[in-house]
């Protein structure tokens, strides 16, 4: 068995270690989500925590780790009689990103359930993690349905398995810890809210601390057992402190003054719902117990706010996490007394309702708009990406868009955009299972088995079921797509400050892509070339950041932009062949520079039409006289054109789903 890295040997990361320890003291806090760049000891600290947890008493032979002092009356292995039980170390169970639903919640033996009426249940990872730690590395990459099951179990303290009328329930109370790298995509806000605490971690920029990290890691790699032995004393001291804090926790008093500070803080930062107040109260109580006190102080409330609120005040993925600590201190100071003030101001002096900090979001910084460029793209412009460059324009306020979808039925990754054959969704038919049976179609299975009952010698009430009779439910749901933005950043787009509105429209579509669990990519073209500003990724906030700093100027190499996008799709198709693409070209349709630029752009566009790639052209042309070049480009692409005004008016609703000649894959 591998010796884990000692928890007390982790250098720095004070907030991370404190958040984990508070959950060890009081699992009711609700778990920890650890966000941070790669290589910051996220996984190391989590795995090390399990060695500090006190041993648990279990019923011997129970696969669900029932407490012998109060056995679960509905335990599938029960009923159990109360007794002394046996002791074992607390478990840390890891949930792999690619795990199936059955691996998470467990699986029923369908054949025995139908033929014998026996609930033959094989426990999953939730049962293994009961009364221990369930660790999900890269939790943001889990499929939505797995995350929903996971967080529902964490909230209810139980796991329910339903299979065509056969039901199993078992206790599932665990310390939920997730780690993620925000560069690889965000969790949905409602899922963020289900984690009690969130910690942002980053590598230290202090040379001495980095030296110590390397020194300890090398020593551990050379001799894990010897390194752990050198830290055994510190580990034992922390373990004893956790036990003492758990024993003290019921005696901790959360006074009315502390409760008022908690409520005022949550109101001042405008967090949704009441879960934040409850988590802050539990966290402040755990902090007091960890410090060996029986009274909750203002410093406990402040620390609880820093751990429990940052991820709950984000309104969209482009908002930077964090709290305005000056505002927090003003709020705590205002409500520091026990007396009730008349008409308290929840925002505190100078409060702003908990809105984003001045530097948060993609709208921060930059000039008020790009200056018009002489020639507006119709006149010859100097070649080269840097020629005629204008400052980056600030994006207009993003707005809500209606759904864009790819025609046909796909089989890509689970998401919320286009129709697809999935493991989850409405049942549309039945088929023979390919591999292990995951979703039984009961009616089709009975229909397949019924004609053979006499030949199989059926004599009892149950059906005689053979494996060949089993039918898998065919289901239709939604998939996530690759939304590839191809943005014209030439001088013609800079004219009349159009780029601000263009960026606002693209940000709106990026926000929609985030909500629908898409991958996004960004190709820009200007001067004499096109660039992949962002390769396909699940991190839409990274795309927003690249868009924010996008300069404009120079000629319009439309053909180069389309060819670069075609190459991006070709490579991505090799990496993820099941994920279908939606190409969004944002341009006024002009093509300048080089010999026959318009003809070259037309030939490049016809490549997309030949491969039936779904596309939409956002026409950015403005002014009383319109050339209609974007419409011609859309026709060459085999897609649809929509003006920028129509997009901003939220009128793009059904345009893409009516795209002609794109992605006509039969169901």
């Amino acid at each position: 068995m591998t010796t884990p890295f000692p928890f007390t040997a982790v250098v720095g990361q004070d907030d991370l270690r404190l958040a984990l320890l508070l959950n060890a003291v009081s699992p009711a806090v609700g778990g920890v989500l650890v966000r941070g760049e790669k290589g910051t000891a996220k996984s190391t600290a989590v795995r090390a925590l399990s060695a500090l947890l006190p041993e648990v008493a279990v019923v011997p032979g129970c696969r669900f780790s029932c407490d012998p002092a109060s056995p679960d009356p509905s335990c599938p292995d029960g009923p159990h009689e109360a007794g002394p039980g046996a002791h074992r170390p607390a478990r840390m169970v890891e949930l792999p990103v690619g795990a199936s639903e059955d691996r998470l919640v467990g699986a029923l033996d369908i054949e025995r359930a139908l033929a014998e009426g026996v609930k033959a249940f094989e426990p999953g990872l939730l049962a293994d993690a009961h009364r221990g730690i369930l660790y999900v590395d890269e939790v943001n990459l889990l499929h939505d349905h797995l995350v929903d099951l996971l967080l529902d179990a964490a909230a209810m303290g139980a796991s329910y398995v339903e299979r065509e009328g056969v039901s199993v329930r078992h206790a599932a109370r665990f310390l939920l810890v997730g780690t993620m790298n925000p560069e690889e995509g965000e969790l949905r806000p409602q899922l963020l809210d289900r984690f009690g605490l969130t910690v942002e971690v980053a590598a230290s920029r202090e040379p001495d601390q980095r030296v110590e990290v390397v020194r300890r890691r090398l020593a551990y790699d050379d001799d894990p057992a010897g390194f752990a032995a050198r830290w055994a004393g510190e580990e034992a001291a922390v373990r004893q402190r956790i036990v003492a804090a758990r024993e003290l926790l019921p005696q901790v008093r959360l006074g009315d003054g502390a409760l008022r500070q908690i409520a005022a803080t949550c109101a001042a930062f405008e967090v949704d719902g009441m879960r934040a107040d409850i988590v802050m109260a539990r966290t402040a109580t755990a902090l007091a117990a960890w410090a060996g006190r029986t009274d909750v102080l203002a410093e406990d409330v402040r620390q609880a706010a820093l751990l429990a609120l940052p991820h709950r005040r984000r309104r969209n993925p482009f908002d930077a996490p964090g709290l305005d600590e000056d505002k927090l201190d003003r709020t705590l100071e205002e409500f520091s007394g026990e007396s009730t003030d008349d008409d308290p101001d929840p925002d505190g002096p100078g409060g702003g309702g908990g809105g984003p900090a001045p530097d948060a979001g993609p709208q921060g910084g930059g000039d008020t708009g790009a200056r018009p460029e002489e020639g507006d793209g119709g006149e010859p412009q100097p070649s080269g990406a840097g020629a005629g460059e204008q400052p980056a324009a600030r994006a207009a306020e993003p707005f809500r868009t209606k759904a864009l979808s790819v025609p046909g039925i796909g089989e890509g990754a689970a998401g919320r955009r286009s129709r697809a054959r999935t493991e989850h969704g409405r049942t549309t038919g039945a088929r023979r299972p390919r591999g292990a049976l995951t979703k039984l179609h009961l009616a089709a299975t009975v229909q397949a088995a019924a004609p053979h009952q006499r030949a199989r010698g059926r004599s009892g009430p149950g059906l005689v079921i053979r494996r060949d009779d089993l039918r898998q439910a065919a289901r239709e749901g939604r998939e996530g797509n690759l939304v590839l933005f191809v943005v014209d950043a030439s001088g013609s787009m800079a004219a009349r400050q159009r780029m601000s509105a263009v960026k606002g429209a693209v940000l709106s579509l990026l926000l929609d892509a985030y909500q629908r669990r898409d991958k996004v990519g960004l190709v820009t073209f200007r001067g004499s070339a096109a660039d992949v500003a962002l390769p396909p990724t699940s991190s839409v906030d990274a795309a927003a950041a690249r868009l924010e700093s996008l300069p404009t100027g120079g000629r319009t190499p439309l053909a180069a932009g389309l060819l670069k996008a075609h190459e991006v799709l070709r490579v991505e198709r090799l990496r993820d062949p099941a994920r279908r693409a939606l190409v969004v070209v944002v341009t006024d349709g002009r093509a300048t520079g080089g010999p026959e630029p318009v003809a070259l752009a037309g030939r490049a566009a016809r490549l997309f039409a030949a491969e039936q790639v779904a596309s939409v052209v956002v026409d950015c042309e403005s002014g009383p006289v319109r050339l209609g070049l974007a419409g011609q480009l859309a026709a060459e692409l085999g897609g649809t054109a929509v003006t920028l005004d129509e997009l901003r008016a939220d009128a793009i609703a059904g345009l893409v789903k009516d795209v002609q000649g794109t992605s006509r894959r039969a169901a």
Side-chain angles (χ1 to χ4, degrees), residues 396-424:
E397 187 69 22
F399 53 90
R400 185 173 183 82
T401 67
K402 295 183 180 178
L404 309 179
S405 61
V406 177
I409 301 180
E411 296 182 348
R416 298 188 170 192
R417 183 172 296 278
S418 305
R419 293 173 58 199
R421 300 181 185 93
T422 63
E423 289 294 320
H424 300 269

PDB file of all heavy atoms in Angstrom, residues 396-424:
ATOM      1  N   ALA A 396     -19.732  45.393 -25.251  1.00  0.00           N
ATOM      2  CA  ALA A 396     -21.036  45.857 -24.789  1.00  0.00           C
ATOM      3  C   ALA A 396     -21.612  44.850 -23.800  1.00  0.00           C
ATOM      4  O   ALA A 396     -21.152  43.708 -23.699  1.00  0.00           O
ATOM      5  CB  ALA A 396     -21.976  46.043 -25.977  1.00  0.00           C
ATOM      6  N   GLU A 397     -22.626  45.260 -23.078  1.00  0.00           N
ATOM      7  CA  GLU A 397     -23.238  44.400 -22.072  1.00  0.00           C
ATOM      8  C   GLU A 397     -23.820  43.155 -22.738  1.00  0.00           C
ATOM      9  O   GLU A 397     -24.591  43.245 -23.688  1.00  0.00           O
ATOM     10  CB  GLU A 397     -24.349  45.155 -21.348  1.00  0.00           C
ATOM     11  CG  GLU A 397     -24.938  44.420 -20.170  1.00  0.00           C
ATOM     12  CD  GLU A 397     -23.967  44.291 -19.012  1.00  0.00           C
ATOM     13  OE1 GLU A 397     -23.015  45.095 -18.936  1.00  0.00           O
ATOM     14  OE2 GLU A 397     -24.159  43.383 -18.191  1.00  0.00           O
ATOM     15  N   PRO A 398     -23.448  41.955 -22.270  1.00  0.00           N
ATOM     16  CA  PRO A 398     -24.004  40.741 -22.879  1.00  0.00           C
ATOM     17  C   PRO A 398     -25.491  40.611 -22.600  1.00  0.00           C
ATOM     18  O   PRO A 398     -26.017  41.173 -21.637  1.00  0.00           O
ATOM     19  CB  PRO A 398     -23.206  39.608 -22.226  1.00  0.00           C
ATOM     20  CG  PRO A 398     -22.665  40.180 -20.970  1.00  0.00           C
ATOM     21  CD  PRO A 398     -22.475  41.640 -21.210  1.00  0.00           C
ATOM     22  N   PHE A 399     -26.176  39.889 -23.462  1.00  0.00           N
ATOM     23  CA  PHE A 399     -27.612  39.708 -23.344  1.00  0.00           C
ATOM     24  C   PHE A 399     -27.938  38.233 -23.507  1.00  0.00           C
ATOM     25  O   PHE A 399     -27.106  37.437 -23.929  1.00  0.00           O
ATOM     26  CB  PHE A 399     -28.351  40.538 -24.403  1.00  0.00           C
ATOM     27  CG  PHE A 399     -27.859  40.290 -25.805  1.00  0.00           C
ATOM     28  CD1 PHE A 399     -28.420  39.295 -26.595  1.00  0.00           C
ATOM     29  CD2 PHE A 399     -26.819  41.054 -26.334  1.00  0.00           C
ATOM     30  CE1 PHE A 399     -27.967  39.061 -27.880  1.00  0.00           C
ATOM     31  CE2 PHE A 399     -26.351  40.818 -27.617  1.00  0.00           C
ATOM     32  CZ  PHE A 399     -26.928  39.816 -28.393  1.00  0.00           C
ATOM     33  N   ARG A 400     -29.152  37.877 -23.196  1.00  0.00           N
ATOM     34  CA  ARG A 400     -29.566  36.485 -23.263  1.00  0.00           C
ATOM     35  C   ARG A 400     -29.970  36.121 -24.681  1.00  0.00           C
ATOM     36  O   ARG A 400     -30.702  36.850 -25.330  1.00  0.00           O
ATOM     37  CB  ARG A 400     -30.731  36.227 -22.307  1.00  0.00           C
ATOM     38  CG  ARG A 400     -31.136  34.768 -22.221  1.00  0.00           C
ATOM     39  CD  ARG A 400     -32.179  34.561 -21.131  1.00  0.00           C
ATOM     40  NE  ARG A 400     -32.535  33.164 -20.995  1.00  0.00           N
ATOM     41  CZ  ARG A 400     -31.837  32.273 -20.306  1.00  0.00           C
ATOM     42  NH1 ARG A 400     -30.743  32.665 -19.682  1.00  0.00           N
ATOM     43  NH2 ARG A 400     -32.216  31.015 -20.229  1.00  0.00           N
ATOM     44  N   THR A 401     -29.503  34.989 -25.149  1.00  0.00           N
ATOM     45  CA  THR A 401     -29.866  34.516 -26.476  1.00  0.00           C
ATOM     46  C   THR A 401     -30.718  33.257 -26.356  1.00  0.00           C
ATOM     47  O   THR A 401     -30.663  32.550 -25.350  1.00  0.00           O
ATOM     48  CB  THR A 401     -28.616  34.184 -27.315  1.00  0.00           C
ATOM     49  OG1 THR A 401     -27.957  33.061 -26.745  1.00  0.00           O
ATOM     50  CG2 THR A 401     -27.676  35.369 -27.391  1.00  0.00           C
ATOM     51  N   LYS A 402     -31.476  32.998 -27.386  1.00  0.00           N
ATOM     52  CA  LYS A 402     -32.214  31.757 -27.450  1.00  0.00           C
ATOM     53  C   LYS A 402     -31.308  30.662 -28.003  1.00  0.00           C
ATOM     54  O   LYS A 402     -30.213  30.931 -28.479  1.00  0.00           O
ATOM     55  CB  LYS A 402     -33.467  31.927 -28.300  1.00  0.00           C
ATOM     56  CG  LYS A 402     -34.468  32.900 -27.674  1.00  0.00           C
ATOM     57  CD  LYS A 402     -35.735  32.999 -28.483  1.00  0.00           C
ATOM     58  CE  LYS A 402     -36.708  33.965 -27.823  1.00  0.00           C
ATOM     59  NZ  LYS A 402     -37.959  34.123 -28.609  1.00  0.00           N
ATOM     60  N   ALA A 403     -31.796  29.444 -27.937  1.00  0.00           N
ATOM     61  CA  ALA A 403     -30.935  28.295 -28.235  1.00  0.00           C
ATOM     62  C   ALA A 403     -30.568  28.226 -29.703  1.00  0.00           C
ATOM     63  O   ALA A 403     -31.416  28.363 -30.583  1.00  0.00           O
ATOM     64  CB  ALA A 403     -31.632  27.007 -27.821  1.00  0.00           C
ATOM     65  N   LEU A 404     -29.296  28.016 -29.973  1.00  0.00           N
ATOM     66  CA  LEU A 404     -28.811  27.614 -31.288  1.00  0.00           C
ATOM     67  C   LEU A 404     -28.589  26.110 -31.227  1.00  0.00           C
ATOM     68  O   LEU A 404     -28.108  25.596 -30.226  1.00  0.00           O
ATOM     69  CB  LEU A 404     -27.488  28.311 -31.620  1.00  0.00           C
ATOM     70  CG  LEU A 404     -27.414  29.834 -31.462  1.00  0.00           C
ATOM     71  CD1 LEU A 404     -26.021  30.311 -31.813  1.00  0.00           C
ATOM     72  CD2 LEU A 404     -28.445  30.518 -32.309  1.00  0.00           C
ATOM     73  N   SER A 405     -28.916  25.426 -32.289  1.00  0.00           N
ATOM     74  CA  SER A 405     -28.727  23.979 -32.263  1.00  0.00           C
ATOM     75  C   SER A 405     -28.239  23.486 -33.604  1.00  0.00           C
ATOM     76  O   SER A 405     -28.433  24.140 -34.635  1.00  0.00           O
ATOM     77  CB  SER A 405     -30.033  23.262 -31.879  1.00  0.00           C
ATOM     78  OG  SER A 405     -31.045  23.536 -32.830  1.00  0.00           O
ATOM     79  N   VAL A 406     -27.605  22.326 -33.583  1.00  0.00           N
ATOM     80  CA  VAL A 406     -27.128  21.672 -34.793  1.00  0.00           C
ATOM     81  C   VAL A 406     -28.220  20.726 -35.280  1.00  0.00           C
ATOM     82  O   VAL A 406     -28.749  19.944 -34.487  1.00  0.00           O
ATOM     83  CB  VAL A 406     -25.823  20.890 -34.517  1.00  0.00           C
ATOM     84  CG1 VAL A 406     -25.367  20.147 -35.759  1.00  0.00           C
ATOM     85  CG2 VAL A 406     -24.741  21.846 -34.029  1.00  0.00           C
ATOM     86  N   PRO A 407     -28.588  20.774 -36.552  1.00  0.00           N
ATOM     87  CA  PRO A 407     -29.657  19.891 -37.046  1.00  0.00           C
ATOM     88  C   PRO A 407     -29.278  18.417 -36.937  1.00  0.00           C
ATOM     89  O   PRO A 407     -28.109  18.054 -36.854  1.00  0.00           O
ATOM     90  CB  PRO A 407     -29.819  20.312 -38.515  1.00  0.00           C
ATOM     91  CG  PRO A 407     -29.208  21.672 -38.595  1.00  0.00           C
ATOM     92  CD  PRO A 407     -28.097  21.682 -37.586  1.00  0.00           C
ATOM     93  N   GLY A 408     -30.293  17.565 -36.969  1.00  0.00           N
ATOM     94  CA  GLY A 408     -30.065  16.128 -36.923  1.00  0.00           C
ATOM     95  C   GLY A 408     -29.926  15.615 -35.509  1.00  0.00           C
ATOM     96  O   GLY A 408     -30.156  16.328 -34.527  1.00  0.00           O
ATOM     97  N   ILE A 409     -29.540  14.363 -35.383  1.00  0.00           N
ATOM     98  CA  ILE A 409     -29.360  13.711 -34.087  1.00  0.00           C
ATOM     99  C   ILE A 409     -27.934  13.203 -33.985  1.00  0.00           C
ATOM    100  O   ILE A 409     -27.476  12.439 -34.838  1.00  0.00           O
ATOM    101  CB  ILE A 409     -30.350  12.545 -33.901  1.00  0.00           C
ATOM    102  CG1 ILE A 409     -31.790  13.054 -34.003  1.00  0.00           C
ATOM    103  CG2 ILE A 409     -30.135  11.866 -32.554  1.00  0.00           C
ATOM    104  CD1 ILE A 409     -32.821  11.981 -33.839  1.00  0.00           C
ATOM    105  N   GLY A 410     -27.232  13.608 -32.966  1.00  0.00           N
ATOM    106  CA  GLY A 410     -25.846  13.201 -32.781  1.00  0.00           C
ATOM    107  C   GLY A 410     -25.696  12.152 -31.704  1.00  0.00           C
ATOM    108  O   GLY A 410     -26.662  11.645 -31.145  1.00  0.00           O
ATOM    109  N   GLU A 411     -24.441  11.857 -31.395  1.00  0.00           N
ATOM    110  CA  GLU A 411     -24.112  10.896 -30.339  1.00  0.00           C
ATOM    111  C   GLU A 411     -22.922  11.403 -29.534  1.00  0.00           C
ATOM    112  O   GLU A 411     -22.066  10.638 -29.117  1.00  0.00           O
ATOM    113  CB  GLU A 411     -23.800   9.520 -30.946  1.00  0.00           C
ATOM    114  CG  GLU A 411     -24.987   8.876 -31.658  1.00  0.00           C
ATOM    115  CD  GLU A 411     -24.658   7.499 -32.205  1.00  0.00           C
ATOM    116  OE1 GLU A 411     -23.460   7.145 -32.239  1.00  0.00           O
ATOM    117  OE2 GLU A 411     -25.590   6.781 -32.595  1.00  0.00           O
ATOM    118  N   GLY A 412     -22.869  12.703 -29.347  1.00  0.00           N
ATOM    119  CA  GLY A 412     -21.728  13.294 -28.675  1.00  0.00           C
ATOM    120  C   GLY A 412     -21.840  13.286 -27.174  1.00  0.00           C
ATOM    121  O   GLY A 412     -22.701  12.621 -26.579  1.00  0.00           O
ATOM    122  N   ALA A 413     -20.952  14.055 -26.528  1.00  0.00           N
ATOM    123  CA  ALA A 413     -20.922  14.139 -25.071  1.00  0.00           C
ATOM    124  C   ALA A 413     -22.209  14.764 -24.558  1.00  0.00           C
ATOM    125  O   ALA A 413     -22.827  15.609 -25.211  1.00  0.00           O
ATOM    126  CB  ALA A 413     -19.721  14.965 -24.624  1.00  0.00           C
ATOM    127  N   ALA A 414     -22.631  14.333 -23.376  1.00  0.00           N
ATOM    128  CA  ALA A 414     -23.858  14.858 -22.784  1.00  0.00           C
ATOM    129  C   ALA A 414     -23.762  16.363 -22.608  1.00  0.00           C
ATOM    130  O   ALA A 414     -22.720  16.904 -22.236  1.00  0.00           O
ATOM    131  CB  ALA A 414     -24.123  14.183 -21.443  1.00  0.00           C
ATOM    132  N   GLY A 415     -24.837  17.042 -22.904  1.00  0.00           N
ATOM    133  CA  GLY A 415     -24.871  18.489 -22.788  1.00  0.00           C
ATOM    134  C   GLY A 415     -26.300  18.978 -22.850  1.00  0.00           C
ATOM    135  O   GLY A 415     -27.238  18.249 -22.538  1.00  0.00           O
ATOM    136  N   ARG A 416     -26.479  20.236 -23.347  1.00  0.00           N
ATOM    137  CA  ARG A 416     -27.815  20.826 -23.322  1.00  0.00           C
ATOM    138  C   ARG A 416     -28.131  21.598 -24.589  1.00  0.00           C
ATOM    139  O   ARG A 416     -28.961  22.502 -24.567  1.00  0.00           O
ATOM    140  CB  ARG A 416     -27.938  21.756 -22.116  1.00  0.00           C
ATOM    141  CG  ARG A 416     -27.765  21.038 -20.797  1.00  0.00           C
ATOM    142  CD  ARG A 416     -28.079  21.923 -19.632  1.00  0.00           C
ATOM    143  NE  ARG A 416     -28.132  21.162 -18.395  1.00  0.00           N
ATOM    144  CZ  ARG A 416     -28.606  21.635 -17.252  1.00  0.00           C
ATOM    145  NH1 ARG A 416     -29.056  22.860 -17.185  1.00  0.00           N
ATOM    146  NH2 ARG A 416     -28.619  20.889 -16.171  1.00  0.00           N
ATOM    147  N   ARG A 417     -27.493  21.248 -25.693  1.00  0.00           N
ATOM    148  CA  ARG A 417     -27.738  22.030 -26.895  1.00  0.00           C
ATOM    149  C   ARG A 417     -28.543  21.263 -27.934  1.00  0.00           C
ATOM    150  O   ARG A 417     -29.714  21.533 -28.151  1.00  0.00           O
ATOM    151  CB  ARG A 417     -26.415  22.507 -27.508  1.00  0.00           C
ATOM    152  CG  ARG A 417     -26.625  23.402 -28.726  1.00  0.00           C
ATOM    153  CD  ARG A 417     -25.342  24.029 -29.216  1.00  0.00           C
ATOM    154  NE  ARG A 417     -24.774  24.933 -28.236  1.00  0.00           N
ATOM    155  CZ  ARG A 417     -25.165  26.200 -28.071  1.00  0.00           C
ATOM    156  NH1 ARG A 417     -26.145  26.700 -28.806  1.00  0.00           N
ATOM    157  NH2 ARG A 417     -24.594  26.961 -27.160  1.00  0.00           N
ATOM    158  N   SER A 418     -27.973  20.283 -28.612  1.00  0.00           N
ATOM    159  CA  SER A 418     -28.591  19.651 -29.768  1.00  0.00           C
ATOM    160  C   SER A 418     -29.097  18.252 -29.435  1.00  0.00           C
ATOM    161  O   SER A 418     -28.634  17.603 -28.500  1.00  0.00           O
ATOM    162  CB  SER A 418     -27.580  19.575 -30.921  1.00  0.00           C
ATOM    163  OG  SER A 418     -27.066  20.852 -31.220  1.00  0.00           O
ATOM    164  N   ARG A 419     -30.052  17.783 -30.231  1.00  0.00           N
ATOM    165  CA  ARG A 419     -30.621  16.453 -30.024  1.00  0.00           C
ATOM    166  C   ARG A 419     -29.542  15.390 -30.216  1.00  0.00           C
ATOM    167  O   ARG A 419     -28.679  15.504 -31.091  1.00  0.00           O
ATOM    168  CB  ARG A 419     -31.755  16.204 -31.015  1.00  0.00           C
ATOM    169  CG  ARG A 419     -32.978  17.072 -30.821  1.00  0.00           C
ATOM    170  CD  ARG A 419     -33.968  16.870 -31.952  1.00  0.00           C
ATOM    171  NE  ARG A 419     -34.369  15.473 -32.056  1.00  0.00           N
ATOM    172  CZ  ARG A 419     -34.923  14.937 -33.146  1.00  0.00           C
ATOM    173  NH1 ARG A 419     -35.103  15.666 -34.224  1.00  0.00           N
ATOM    174  NH2 ARG A 419     -35.277  13.660 -33.151  1.00  0.00           N
ATOM    175  N   ALA A 420     -29.614  14.334 -29.387  1.00  0.00           N
ATOM    176  CA  ALA A 420     -28.601  13.277 -29.472  1.00  0.00           C
ATOM    177  C   ALA A 420     -29.120  12.011 -28.830  1.00  0.00           C
ATOM    178  O   ALA A 420     -30.015  12.038 -27.975  1.00  0.00           O
ATOM    179  CB  ALA A 420     -27.300  13.718 -28.787  1.00  0.00           C
ATOM    180  N   ARG A 421     -28.561  10.895 -29.254  1.00  0.00           N
ATOM    181  CA  ARG A 421     -28.806   9.620 -28.578  1.00  0.00           C
ATOM    182  C   ARG A 421     -27.906   9.568 -27.350  1.00  0.00           C
ATOM    183  O   ARG A 421     -26.694   9.648 -27.470  1.00  0.00           O
ATOM    184  CB  ARG A 421     -28.511   8.451 -29.518  1.00  0.00           C
ATOM    185  CG  ARG A 421     -29.345   8.440 -30.784  1.00  0.00           C
ATOM    186  CD  ARG A 421     -29.008   7.228 -31.648  1.00  0.00           C
ATOM    187  NE  ARG A 421     -29.716   7.281 -32.922  1.00  0.00           N
ATOM    188  CZ  ARG A 421     -29.214   7.816 -34.029  1.00  0.00           C
ATOM    189  NH1 ARG A 421     -28.004   8.337 -34.016  1.00  0.00           N
ATOM    190  NH2 ARG A 421     -29.921   7.827 -35.142  1.00  0.00           N
ATOM    191  N   THR A 422     -28.520   9.426 -26.187  1.00  0.00           N
ATOM    192  CA  THR A 422     -27.761   9.485 -24.942  1.00  0.00           C
ATOM    193  C   THR A 422     -28.232   8.387 -24.000  1.00  0.00           C
ATOM    194  O   THR A 422     -29.210   7.688 -24.258  1.00  0.00           O
ATOM    195  CB  THR A 422     -27.954  10.850 -24.251  1.00  0.00           C
ATOM    196  OG1 THR A 422     -29.336  11.002 -23.897  1.00  0.00           O
ATOM    197  CG2 THR A 422     -27.539  11.990 -25.163  1.00  0.00           C
ATOM    198  N   GLU A 423     -27.526   8.247 -22.888  1.00  0.00           N
ATOM    199  CA  GLU A 423     -27.924   7.306 -21.843  1.00  0.00           C
ATOM    200  C   GLU A 423     -29.037   7.869 -20.975  1.00  0.00           C
ATOM    201  O   GLU A 423     -29.648   7.146 -20.199  1.00  0.00           O
ATOM    202  CB  GLU A 423     -26.711   6.956 -20.969  1.00  0.00           C
ATOM    203  CG  GLU A 423     -25.678   6.093 -21.666  1.00  0.00           C
ATOM    204  CD  GLU A 423     -26.199   4.698 -21.988  1.00  0.00           C
ATOM    205  OE1 GLU A 423     -26.908   4.120 -21.154  1.00  0.00           O
ATOM    206  OE2 GLU A 423     -25.908   4.208 -23.094  1.00  0.00           O
ATOM    207  N   HIS A 424     -29.294   9.153 -21.107  1.00  0.00           N
ATOM    208  CA  HIS A 424     -30.303   9.798 -20.269  1.00  0.00           C
ATOM    209  C   HIS A 424     -31.187  10.646 -21.158  1.00  0.00           C
ATOM    210  O   HIS A 424     -30.743  11.274 -22.095  1.00  0.00           O
ATOM    211  CB  HIS A 424     -29.644  10.660 -19.183  1.00  0.00           C
ATOM    212  CG  HIS A 424     -28.768   9.865 -18.274  1.00  0.00           C
ATOM    213  ND1 HIS A 424     -29.225   9.283 -17.115  1.00  0.00           N
ATOM    214  CD2 HIS A 424     -27.462   9.527 -18.365  1.00  0.00           C
ATOM    215  CE1 HIS A 424     -28.240   8.624 -16.532  1.00  0.00           C
ATOM    216  NE2 HIS A 424     -27.160   8.766 -17.268  1.00  0.00           N
TER     217      HIS A 424
END
